[in-house]
Every structure is written in C-alpha cells, then in structure tokens.
Amino acid sequence: MKEIRVDVTDSTQTLAKRLSHIIEGDFIVIAKTQYKGYGRYGRKWFSPEGGLWATLTIRNISIEKLTMMPMIAGIAAAETLQKYINIHVKLKWPNDLIIGDKKIGGILCEAEIEEEKVKNMFIGIGVNINISERELLKELKDKATSLMIETNKTHNINEILFEIVNKIYSLMNEKSEKIIEKWKAHDYLAGRKVKISLEGQTLIGRTKINSDGSLTIITESGEEYRLYSNRIERVDILNS
Ligand code: BTN
C-alpha cells in the first residue's frame, strides 16, 4: 500500500481527500503533527508530535459495510492497544478509545458515496501515544491520557499503526455478528445509564448495540430509539 508521510499538514483527512484524486488504490497518509486536526462534529483535535495521526483511504467498500467501518476501525485500534497495556481498553460508541475513564484516541470515518458504492472511505485514526502529561492541553488533562502516561514508556508509533491497519483489513472479512461480538467485549457504555445529545434532543437511558453497528437507547419510560453515529453530538455517562 502507498504510504504518504509528512512532518506537518492541516489534517491527514483533508490531505487524503485531496490525494484521492491523484492516487489509485488504497493508501495511507501519516503526519507527525496536524494544525487543523478535527474530530467528529468538526471539533478541534489536538495533534502534537508524539501522536499517531493517520488517515487510511479504502476504495470501493460495499454500502452494507459502511455502517460497520467505524466499529471495525475502533475494534482494530482497541485490540492493538490492548497488547501494550494491562488496563482494559474500552470503546465508547461511536468512536472513542478509552482507558480508565479517559480518552486515549478516536476514530473518524468519512465516506464519499457514488452510484450505490462507497467510492472512498477515509478512516481517520488518532491515538495519543508518546505524549506527556505536560504536553496535554490544560483543558484536556482530566479527560485525556496517552499510552506513554499509562505505561511510563515510549512506544513505536509506526508499529502500532500498521498493526491497526492490518487488523482493519482482516476484520473487514468477518461477518457482522463477529464484529458486534468483538465490540461488546470492549463496550464502555454497557450496563451504564447514559445521556445522548442529538441535534436539538436529549435522550437518557441504557443502550444496546445493533447488528448493523447502530445503537438503540431504551429510555426509562421504555421507549426505544435507534441511533446512527452521524446524528450523535455527545454521549455522557450518568451516575446511576
Ligand atoms: C473523534 O474522537 O472525534 C475522532 C478523532 C479523529 C482524529 C484523527 S487524527 C488523524 C485524522 N486527521 C484528523 O484531522 N482527524 C483524524
């Protein structure tokens, strides 16, 4: 697979989108730092040196696989990180990688669809690897962590990235039941009371993962809502 490495870029997502017009086949863009890194809902993504900031572009995925891709990428990242740390790595639907109760990374999947096919799937992978507590922004300190902070040592970013990428491809060959089963083994929301904020609406209840990768929230009054990740603004855990 083609690898494009840069020291600095605005965002590996936007660079991958620009390059998708000139590169054929799947490719990966890797940056040491990003000055306009972004997460879901266009939120700013802090991307200093020492992090894993990459976008894997996969071509011609079937529409059925589309909703599974954020999960596949999340599981691949969680299973990989798990090899480096004793604490259980969790996945907070739809896209957060969690260690303890802190965020260590996130996945951002953006798709370009043409004639019933996913022409380009841009899978953004962001993981805080060799970032010290001092480097984490003040406002992130209580909410974020890094692999180095958790393990007291530095790690090989490249090795971790390619393990994640290989896992993504192998998980793409698995049936969705298997993917869901794997997700459940890392599910941070399981059994918890959560508050989900959608555009103009807030839902409180307990959740379950569906076979297509969507999430159902069952409210205290017993109503059920099926949610797709693109509509979710925030998911908060409530003390119950
Ligand atoms: C999220 O938690 O909202 C997802 C964050 C995804 C961040 C990664 S870092 C590499 C790629 N480039 C970006 O600008 N964003 C993704």
Side-chain angles (χ1 to χ4, degrees):
M1 186 193 318
K2 285 193 195 76
E3 278 173 44
I4 292 91
R5 288 177 182 277
V6 294
D7 282 345
V8 54
T9 183
D10 47 356
S11 150
T12 55
Q13 293 292 105
T14 44
L15 180 55
K17 288 177 194 171
R18 295 195 291 274
L19 291 172
S20 68
H21 301 288
I22 49 175
I23 295 180
E24 277 176 34
D26 296 1
F27 64 95
I28 187 153
V29 176
I30 306 152
K32 285 194 183 143
T33 59
Q34 310 178 106
Y35 57 87
K36 266 195 194 156
Y38 61 93
R40 284 182 355 101
Y41 264 77
R43 291 189 191 110
K44 187 177 161 42
W45 184 262
F46 178 58
S47 323
E49 210 161 306
L52 187 175
W53 322 126
T55 298
L56 169 65
T57 303
I58 304 185
R59 267 49 203 269
N60 301 320
I61 298 176
S62 69
I63 286 279
E64 299 77 64
K65 274 258 142 66
L66 177 67
T67 54
M68 297 308 285
M69 289 312 291
M71 283 199 147
I72 287 177
I75 295 164
E79 286 188 352
T80 301
L81 292 176
Q82 195 65 76
K83 287 179 47 185
Y84 298 85
I85 187 161
N86 287 329
I87 308 169
H88 193 39
V89 180
K90 299 262 174 132
L91 288 160
K92 182 178 166 204
W93 191 88
N95 68 322
D96 292 352
L97 287 154
I98 306 279
I99 284 183
D101 285 309
K102 292 184 174 178
K103 183 158 169 167
I104 192 167
I107 303 292
L108 177 70
C109 286
E110 297 178 285
E112 270 172 20
I113 297 167
E114 207 171 76
E115 290 163 9
E116 310 277 296
K117 271 226 146 202
V118 183
K119 190 176 165 221
N120 291 307
M121 170 63 90
F122 301 102
I123 305 173
I125 306 161
V127 189
N128 300 335
I129 308 275
N130 301 321
I131 300 177
S132 67
E133 205 151 20
R134 193 168 43 83
E135 284 168 305
L136 276 183
L137 288 180
K138 241 217 247 104
E139 66 259 36
L140 287 179
K141 279 216 168 86
D142 298 336
K143 292 187 252 158
T145 189
S146 77
L147 197 56
M148 186 171 89
I149 296 170
E150 298 296 330
T151 59
N152 285 317
K153 56 180 181 207
T154 57
H155 297 268
N156 183 328
I157 297 175
N158 224 23
E159 184 184 300
I160 295 176
L161 172 62
F162 282 95
E163 244 179 88
I164 296 175
V165 169
N166 289 337
K167 265 195 207 286
I168 291 176
Y169 282 103
S170 68
L171 287 168
M172 282 173 69
N173 296 319
E174 298 283 359
K175 292 213 167 64
S176 57
E177 296 79 50
K178 181 89 191 194
I179 304 292
I180 300 298
E181 192 186 303
K182 279 180 174 282
W183 178 277
K184 285 183 176 161
H186 295 274
D187 189 357
Y188 182 66
L189 300 182
R192 297 180 192 234
K193 189 171 168 187
V194 301
K195 180 172 101 182
I196 299 187
S197 313
L198 306 145
E199 296 118 347
Q201 201 186 359
T202 302
L203 298 168
I204 294 178
R206 293 185 197 271
T207 61
K208 66 168 200 261
I209 291 288
N210 301 311
S211 56
D212 63 351
S214 62
L215 187 85
T216 290
I217 180 159
I218 305 135
T219 65
E220 276 160 341
S221 54
E223 284 163 81
E224 293 196 8
Y225 298 85
R226 200 181 183 100
L227 307 172
Y228 290 88
S229 60
N230 55 346
R231 290 188 55 220
I232 308 300
E233 269 169 58
R234 277 182 74 92
V235 180
D236 295 304
I237 306 286
L238 301 178
N239 296 324
S240 47

